[in-house]
Amino acid sequence: QVQLVESGGGSVQAGGSLRLSCAASGYTYSSACMGWFREAPGKEREGVAVSYTGDGSTYYADSVKGRFTISQDNAKNTLYLQMNSLKPEDTAMYYCAADLELVGMACTVLAGRTDLFAYWGQGTQVTVSS
């Protein structure tokens, strides 16, 4: 049974940093498409950063490029999202997601397709105040 458990959310002032963690279990972590998505009130869920754990290829939404970094620790089966220079518009519920069918290039090319990710965590709230 695939499980994804997020942690690390919280409240921070604009310009601050947070690191989110996603502990994964129940599948072969070293070859999965994993990513971070967010959903703000009144907005659709969007892809923030996605990585194919097999080769480390990544995708970033334009709004977070240069500020957010997705990384992984294969030994710990954990995905991270380092968020720097946070802005109030980054306020949202952040979700970790995974899919085992999006392999290789398909993982990053289809990163924006939330409907293709089969497994989701419960989410962790990030609030950035101005």
Side-chain angles (χ1 to χ4, degrees), residues 37-40 43-47 93 95 112 114 120-121:
F37 297 76
R38 66 186 180 188
E39 187 171 338
K43 295 187 177 181
E44 290 187 355
R45 191 171 296 188
E46 63 173 351
M93 184 70 79
Y95 298 90
T114 58
W120 293 83

Side-chain angles (χ1 to χ4, degrees), residues 6 20 36-48 68 81 88-96 114 120-127:
E6 303 101 331
L20 306 183
W36 291 96
F37 297 76
R38 66 186 180 188
E39 187 171 338
K43 295 187 177 181
E44 290 187 355
R45 191 171 296 188
E46 63 173 351
V48 175
F68 290 11
L81 184 67
E89 51 263 44
D90 294 318
T91 295
M93 184 70 79
Y94 282 71
Y95 298 90
C96 175
T114 58
W120 293 83
Q122 294 298 309
T124 185
Q125 178 68 39
V126 171
T127 302

Side-chain angles (χ1 to χ4, degrees), residues 58-78:
T58 58
Y59 157 89
Y60 292 95
D62 288 342
S63 58
V64 306
K65 282 180 181 177
R67 300 188 298 121
F68 290 11
T69 302
I70 189 171
S71 63
Q72 61 198 57
D73 185 333
N74 287 357
K76 296 182 178 179
N77 287 4
T78 300

